Amino acid sequence: MQGVAPGGIDCDLHPALPGTAALMPYLDPYWREQITVRGIDGLDLASFPPKIPANGRADWRPQHGKPGADFERLRHDALDGFGLRAAICNPLYGVQAVYNRHFATALATAMNDWMVAEWLDRDPRLRASVVIAPQDPAAAAAEIERRAADPRFVQVLLLAMGEAPLGRQEYWPIYAAATRHRMPIGVHAGSTARHATTGNGWPSYYLEDYVAHAQAFQAQLLNLIHEGVFAKFPDLRVVLIESGFTWVPNFMWRANKTWRGVRAEVPWVDRPPADLIREHVRFTLQPADAPPDPADLARAIDQIGSDDVLLFSTDYPHWQFDGTDAYPAGFPAALRQRVAVDNPLATYPRLRETLA
Ligand code: ZN
């Protein structure tokens, strides 16, 4: 096994919520009763069916329960197994897909309380993203404010496919709060199923849904740039998590070419989109959509035109890479330390300060 560079930071780790019942201690009596009498459970996102192979590497999958739900296993397999200095937890549960915005907000708060009590307090290496319900942007901003007092929350978590494109002004209170507290916005793969997961409607197979995520990330990136989010929030960083990254050079070329022709439409985009991406956007490493020839992977990274944009991730316990090597085959040796240590520290100021 090829380990992560010394002092490595995992920017995408997935503790799993066993089920809605695990949130009961963190909900008020009204929602506890609602969950009980209505029999609400199983809010897992359809993007991540717990039993598909990709949702748990075979040797990380417990005999019972969901991969990632057991703290001791996560500590053994991921924190100790990869020799990590720190890891950012991104809990995926269908909070963002709930239609009742008040319930969604209550669930988000409970998820964050659960994260503190059952994960962060048990290992000093763990950090977390703030779970919010973007269905109610004002309440989401308030949740960011509440968590900002705890330096172990280092990022705000959103999904790649939601109600509306993420650049829309209705979401700007979220970006204002995140920027105020120097938290990047982490956009993780996943759909709330508000809309079809492809531009042509619903696909027939999970496989299509999975592959189509790259299109969703591209659409969000275009929207964030052209709605003017980076002009309004010059300090904002966006981390695309589980987006892949070898599509980025081609995307940059198309975005730049079209911007040159019709930028009069969006005068607040005062630089080529590729420059904005290099400055504001980061990409986690796994799953690496790497070509089979290692030389091609190095070329794709070179074409992005920056050594700053990739962040090491294991995506534990998800099964995204062949074998047990922490880096994709052929990943340039010269970049290993940079993506595992330097880039995460530069991207997450709150993480940097708590490790200092
Ligand atoms: Zn992930």
Side-chain angles (χ1 to χ4, degrees):
M1 170 177 155
Q2 203 167 54
V4 62
I9 295 163
D10 184 354
C11 297
D12 188 29
L13 185 76
H14 294 293
L17 187 81
T20 307
L23 295 180
M24 288 299 226
Y26 310 105
L27 289 160
D28 67 26
Y30 172 78
W31 289 116
R32 281 206 295 271
E33 185 187 358
Q34 289 290 306
I35 287 170
T36 304
V37 299
R38 291 160 63 184
I40 295 170
D41 197 8
L43 298 176
D44 290 290
L45 290 164
S47 309
F48 299 97
K51 290 189 175 166
I52 61 161
N55 217 36
R57 207 174 88 179
D59 56 325
W60 290 339
R61 189 176 275 280
Q63 290 224 300
H64 305 286
K66 295 178 189 172
D70 183 89
F71 169 74
E72 294 298 340
R73 294 267 334 236
L74 179 139
R75 174 151 66 185
H76 173 268
D77 295 341
L79 296 176
D80 296 342
F82 287 103
L84 299 168
R85 186 181 182 200
I88 301 172
C89 300
N90 292 319
L92 300 173
Y93 199 56
V95 170
Q96 302 88 349
V98 169
Y99 281 91
N100 179 332
R101 58 168 56 195
H102 307 295
F103 185 36
T105 296
L107 286 171
T109 301
M111 288 282 291
N112 294 323
D113 286 339
W114 168 81
M115 175 57 64
V116 169
E118 306 199 21
W119 298 90
L120 300 184
D121 283 351
R122 295 173 80 175
D123 196 298
R125 290 168 290 186
L126 291 177
R127 302 292 184 278
S129 297
V130 182
V131 174
I132 58 169
Q135 299 92 318
D136 188 337
E143 183 66 17
I144 296 167
E145 293 290 345
R146 185 159 40 242
R147 299 300 161 183
D150 185 339
R152 295 171 298 179
F153 284 101
V154 300
Q155 176 172 249
V156 174
L157 188 63
L158 287 170
L159 294 179
M161 295 187 229
E163 193 104 37
L166 288 174
R168 294 276 182 82
Q169 286 201 16
E170 67 215 58
Y171 296 125
W172 288 16
I174 295 170
Y175 306 143
T179 308
R180 196 155 44 243
H181 297 291
R182 298 173 305 143
M183 296 187 198
I185 297 290
V187 181
H188 196 284
S191 171
T192 61
R194 290 292 193 275
H195 310 287
T197 49
T198 83
N200 289 316
W202 291 102
S204 299
Y205 300 102
Y206 176 72
L207 187 155
E208 297 172 79
D209 181 285
Y210 194 88
V211 175
H213 261 88
Q215 298 168 22
F217 278 107
Q218 293 177 16
Q220 295 289 21
L221 203 42
L222 277 175
N223 190 257
L224 286 163
I225 292 168
H226 293 102
E227 296 272 2
V229 170
F230 298 125
K232 177 71 179 176
F233 303 102
D235 296 327
L236 183 67
R237 294 290 177 277
V238 171
V239 181
L240 302 189
I241 310 171
E242 276 196 56
S243 61
F245 57 87
T246 56
W247 51 265
V248 175
N250 158 281
F251 174 84
M252 283 175 156
W253 183 86
R254 280 180 63 84
N256 275 10
K257 174 179 178 287
T258 308
W259 173 81
R260 274 195 220 93
V262 291
R263 66 179 186 268
E265 187 189 17
V266 286
W268 46 88
V269 182
D270 59 0
R271 274 165 286 167
D275 291 6
L276 289 168
I277 291 170
R278 290 186 199 101
E279 183 181 342
H280 292 278
V281 184
R282 303 290 176 260
F283 305 84
T284 62
L285 192 61
Q286 296 287 0
D289 41 2
D293 183 343
D296 291 339
L297 175 61
R299 194 173 308 130
I301 293 170
D302 187 51
Q303 286 173 346
I304 293 174
S306 170
D307 291 340
D308 299 335
V309 300
L310 295 180
L311 306 177
F312 177 78
S313 65
T314 64
D315 200 28
Y316 177 90
H318 299 165
W319 191 10
Q320 304 289 17
F321 40 102
D322 295 333
T324 55
D325 291 350
Y327 295 90
F331 191 81
L335 281 182
R336 290 177 182 222
Q337 157 88 13
R338 190 165 183 123
V339 304
V341 181
D342 305 342
N343 290 352
L345 291 178
T347 302
Y348 296 104
R350 293 165 63 93
L351 173 65
R352 186 173 64 237
E353 285 155 18
T354 54
L355 286 180

